[in-house]
Amino acid sequence: MTDLCLTATQVMVAGSYNLDQIFRCPSLPRPGQTTTGQFEQGHGGKGFNQALACHRLEAATCFMACLGEDASATEIRRWTAEQQLECLWQHSILPTGTAAVLLDETGENAIVVAAGANQHFSADQALGMIESLPDERRIWLLQREIPDACNLKLMSESHSDDIIILNPAPMDASFNSEQLQHVDILTPNETEFEWLLKQVTGMTLRTDWQQMDDEPLHRYCRSLQVPVVIITLGASGCFISMDDARDWPGVSNGRLPARQVSTVVDTTGAGDAFNGALAAGLTRQPASLETALDLAMRAAAYAVSQPGAATAMPTLAELGHHLRSL
Ligand code: RIB
């Protein structure tokens, strides 16, 4: 059996930055309904949230994104510099990405993203920008808020021993499944997993993934032919499926329960906390998938207990404090 080494020293996050326009309301409006609520603005974007999660958990992190040439971009560059997150910015004539985040009083959300400058992210520019960085084994943490063609280029031009994590969010019919052949760890939620099965295998399954037995669920995961598939299941934790032909010290296929949360405040960014922490966990020594998953579950639980997206990402100290206070 071969062991796929899942440790690296630096995390590269290439992805989106969005300015989140957050509306809190008692319940999410139905089609045709107008409702009132409170408004605030925050930093977000799946790429940015994941990069900040990784950075706050003390992993060497480099974030690459494309912003507009607008006043928001100036403020974003100032804020990220204050956070001491290493960023390689690209610029576009399109406006900085924006997301409308509707949030109900249970913490559930509905999000619409206007990609703006994120659509102009250039993989060539990103690859050029990192040429001067130390040539170490890297983890690439990618999502789907920049074009798939960019992700595919970054994946195919990364070093053969780099680790590639794809969080396939948001998922839709435009997904280029060619990417999967480069991916080491795939982290869909249930809906994204259903889409992936349909796109890759043609199977249309509408089922309760939380109730499905582990064995058939593992077989469905294996049909995607990615060494590690982690399906995030919200408050039910996650399901892990690993390539049967390899040796995975410390982890086995099956479910991991979610960490306890006393009050769910805002679920926005919980998946991002999970992904950022997973990547950060793989840079820690001694690194293992087992400890990285533990960090990811703890970070996701922390994120739902806090308001906002990027600002809900925990530090190591906050994780320790949060667990002690439960
Ligand atoms: O995952 C949460 C993020 O999705 C938000 O910050 C929003 O910007 C959208 O990208």
Side-chain angles (χ1 to χ4, degrees):
M1 276 194 181
T2 51
D3 181 7
L4 179 65
C5 176
L6 288 177
T7 65
T9 45
Q10 203 192 18
V11 183
M12 313 296 294
V13 187
S16 57
Y17 173 91
N18 294 328
L19 206 51
D20 286 355
Q21 313 294 323
I22 307 161
F23 298 87
R24 291 174 186 276
C25 43
S27 56
L28 300 180
R30 295 185 307 278
Q33 185 190 2
T34 301
T35 191
T36 55
Q38 270 91 50
F39 172 76
E40 65 199 89
Q41 199 163 273
H43 298 283
K46 295 186 193 302
F48 183 65
N49 298 338
Q50 295 182 18
L52 194 64
C54 218
H55 169 67
R56 286 192 170 169
L57 293 171
E58 299 176 19
T61 307
C62 176
F63 177 56
M64 289 173 277
C66 186
L67 301 175
E69 287 165 347
D70 40 33
S72 319
T74 312
E75 167 53 20
I76 293 154
R77 284 197 300 268
R78 189 201 61 75
W79 193 78
T80 48
E82 206 176 271
Q83 303 295 307
Q84 299 183 328
L85 170 64
E86 184 183 358
C87 295
L88 297 173
W89 299 117
Q90 302 178 14
H91 295 282
S92 160
I93 49 158
L94 293 177
T96 295
T98 308
V101 180
L102 303 187
L103 200 62
D104 75 12
E105 62 190 7
T106 72
E108 274 311 320
N109 65 50
I111 302 177
V112 182
V113 173
N118 294 308
Q119 290 168 64
H120 278 178
F121 183 91
S122 153
D124 285 324
Q125 249 190 73
L127 289 163
M129 282 166 144
I130 64 169
E131 263 171 17
S132 57
L133 298 183
D135 194 15
E136 300 158 313
R137 185 168 202 226
R138 294 173 175 140
I139 295 173
W140 288 88
L141 178 55
L142 304 166
Q143 319 74 28
R144 294 198 68 239
E145 285 186 338
I146 57 170
D148 274 4
C150 295
N151 280 343
L152 186 56
K153 176 129 200 181
L154 293 173
M155 290 175 186
S156 46
E157 307 241 335
S158 65
H159 287 182
S160 57
D161 68 344
D162 285 355
I163 299 159
I164 295 174
I165 305 177
L166 177 65
N167 172 224
M171 190 63 191
D172 60 24
S174 69
F175 179 67
N176 178 349
S177 52
E178 216 185 305
Q179 290 169 94
L180 293 184
Q181 62 187 286
H182 301 282
V183 175
D184 298 298
I185 305 180
L186 183 68
T187 60
N189 65 18
E190 296 153 83
T191 324
E192 291 149 7
F193 183 63
E194 251 172 46
W195 271 99
L196 282 162
L197 277 184
K198 184 159 183 257
Q199 306 268 125
V200 176
T201 68
M203 270 186 275
T204 306
L205 279 171
R206 289 209 178 275
T207 181
D208 185 349
W209 299 101
Q210 313 223 356
Q211 298 301 325
M212 184 180 278
D213 285 343
D214 288 3
E215 191 45 47
L217 187 48
H218 174 56
R219 279 202 306 276
Y220 284 124
C221 290
R222 290 300 93 226
S223 67
L224 299 177
Q225 297 184 16
V226 171
V228 182
V229 176
I230 303 169
I231 308 177
T232 52
L233 301 166
S236 301
C238 66
F239 179 83
I240 302 136
S241 163
M242 293 162 299
D243 180 354
D244 300 312
R246 298 182 208 247
D247 195 16
W248 300 99
V251 232
S252 44
N253 296 324
R255 286 162 206 270
L256 275 184
R259 289 291 182 136
Q260 211 186 326
V261 182
S262 52
T263 313
V264 175
V265 172
D266 183 348
T267 54
T268 318
D272 299 331
F274 182 95
N275 279 279
L278 180 73
L282 294 173
T283 66
R284 298 182 74 77
Q285 290 306 323
S288 74
L289 188 54
E290 187 187 17
T291 51
L293 279 164
D294 180 57
L295 192 64
M297 302 294 275
R298 291 196 281 149
Y302 179 89
V304 300
S305 74
Q306 304 295 316
T311 46
M313 302 300 142
T315 60
L316 283 177
E318 283 166 339
L319 276 190
H321 176 75
H322 176 69
L323 286 181
R324 279 194 298 277
S325 65
L326 283 174

